Amino acid sequence: MTWYALQHKPAQGDRALANLQNQEITCFFPKISVEKIKNGKRARKLEPLFPGYLFVNMAQTDPCWAKLRSTRGVTRVVAFANKPAAIPDSVIQHIKSSLSSVSEQGGIKPGQAVQLNEAPFVGINAIFQAYDGEERVVVLINFMQKQQRVTVPVSAIRR
């Protein structure tokens, strides 16, 4: 059996995955936890590693090929010259083994350079120190030849 990529309809990856699994097709839909700032608050959210795509493991002679395009949530099989593009098992295994390390890298780390984008500090470069609750962060700015510790809203910093 070989892995193939399927393109799913916008925002219907989970629907496509569920419908493919109902047909007993082996699927892989890698997701990672990302940190987003929404309404001035930090929030962690699971997002697809490859937006718009998921992977299926099927034999070339499997009778389910005819059903793939009509599966709810699936747009098409990724193909070149009308032949489904095979993905080596080693690539899928590498993605699976790397998922945990990618997930751990999310968020801003202490010591990372950021830029402030709200008054009165617009355009000032700073060094991220720590989160102060859900809505504020502590950063270091250079002011009068000295590093000053300042607390600002999460929405006021940009990487």
Side-chain angles (χ1 to χ4, degrees), residues 4 7-8 19 32 40 63 68 78 92 98 105 121 126 141 148:
Y4 299 94
Q7 185 176 16
H8 63 75
N19 287 317
I32 57 171
L68 279 181
V78 176
I92 299 296
S98 301
Q105 292 178 7
F121 305 111
I141 61 171
Q148 300 291 327

Side-chain angles (χ1 to χ4, degrees), residues 6-19:
L6 295 181
Q7 185 176 16
H8 63 75
K9 294 178 181 174
Q12 292 192 22
D14 291 321
R15 180 183 196 183
L17 178 68
N19 287 317

